[in-house]
Amino acid sequence: MSAGDPSVRKGPEPVTVRAALLSAVTIFGLAAAIHIVRYVLLLINRTSLLSPLVAGAALWLGVLASLAAIVAVVLTAVVTTSWLIARRAAVYHHLGQQDPRPTWALWAGCLVPLVNLVWAPVYLIELAHAEQSQARLRGPITAWWVAWVVSTGVSIFGIATSFTTLPQGIADNTVTVIIAYLLGVAVLVLLWQVFDGFVRKPVERPLHRWVVVGQDRPSTPESPPAVESDPQEPAA
């Protein structure tokens, strides 16, 4: 059985997953840059009044960047989840089994906010165990998991403090949002590394390299018998 069997669900190609991750990284980086400019304008506004046009542009660019980041997160989550489901199906099919997790549970565990903080990494760890690559991928998965939890916590704090109307509160919230976007970039890059760690090894190829340990060395050929016999005294 192979991953190319038509009965196995085919997910997005690796180039599609990488394109989604790259787009999200780019959008998050631009959003962080826009909010950095916005923070600088807030500092300038303390000593001199900004033009309404500049202030309005900074405000709406920040809103558009936030909306674009939300769309990028949703699309990336859908693409990567679709790949994960297809990869798990191919691996378990290659092992002659069915995925122990139903498809709906995989979708819900990866897409429902906060719930996915627990279940999405668990699904990846299960996949790594099924592929016998847990030793190689344990570090990247753990790093991505920790960064994702921290990033989510900072994002929740940024949302909770975004309703303030005080100038200092707005500035502090802008700094929090900048940190959240930069952490989001880190999470996406770490997820990219985890993804590459999986796709680097095809489903059909075993991970272990077999080495012959007890191979006998070829025995040394025995010396050929002497052509002439020992000299003997002539008969008298």
Side-chain angles (χ1 to χ4, degrees):
M1 290 175 288
S2 65
D5 194 301
S7 63
V8 179
R9 181 182 182 275
K10 185 174 178 59
E13 296 293 333
V15 64
T16 303
V17 179
R18 292 190 180 98
L21 290 170
L22 179 60
S23 300
V25 168
T26 303
I27 292 174
F28 269 57
L30 289 175
I34 290 173
H35 281 81
I36 290 174
V37 173
R38 184 183 178 187
Y39 181 75
V40 173
L41 293 176
L42 288 173
L43 295 179
I44 295 175
N45 192 45
R46 289 184 173 183
T47 56
S48 60
L49 188 62
L50 291 174
S51 167
L53 183 62
V54 174
L59 175 62
W60 283 106
L61 281 176
V63 173
L64 291 177
S66 299
L67 293 176
I70 293 173
V71 173
V73 167
V74 173
L75 291 178
T76 303
V78 171
V79 171
T80 52
T81 301
S82 180
W83 169 84
L84 173 64
I85 294 173
R87 178 80 177 194
R88 286 175 60 103
V91 169
Y92 283 108
H93 183 76
H94 182 67
L95 297 175
Q97 306 172 13
Q98 286 188 346
D99 193 332
R101 305 283 185 180
T103 303
W104 69 265
L106 294 173
W107 280 110
C110 292
L111 297 183
V112 176
L114 299 182
V115 174
N116 53 14
L117 286 177
V118 176
W119 285 109
V122 169
Y123 296 153
L124 281 175
I125 293 172
E126 290 176 348
L127 177 60
H129 276 277
E131 295 190 10
Q132 297 182 357
S133 57
Q134 64 273 18
R136 179 170 55 88
L137 294 174
R138 184 183 297 112
I141 293 175
T142 302
W144 164 70
W145 195 350
V146 172
W148 190 18
V149 171
V150 174
S151 175
T152 301
V154 174
S155 298
I156 293 175
F157 179 77
I159 295 172
T161 57
S162 64
F163 302 100
T164 181
T165 57
L166 299 176
Q168 185 60 47
I170 294 174
D172 293 341
N173 177 258
T174 303
V175 173
T176 302
V177 172
I178 293 171
I179 296 174
Y181 279 126
L182 294 178
L183 285 173
V185 170
V187 171
L188 291 167
V189 171
L190 291 171
L191 178 59
W192 195 326
Q193 293 180 352
V194 172
F195 170 76
D196 280 344
F198 278 106
V199 299
R200 196 178 297 129
K201 184 186 78 67
V203 174
E204 296 86 352
R205 191 182 69 195
L207 177 65
H208 303 291
R209 184 176 301 171
W210 299 102
V211 179
V212 179
V213 178
Q215 185 177 6
D216 296 333
R217 295 183 177 180
S219 57
T220 305
E222 297 179 358
S223 301
V227 176
E228 297 182 358
S229 57
D230 295 337
Q232 298 178 356
E233 294 294 335

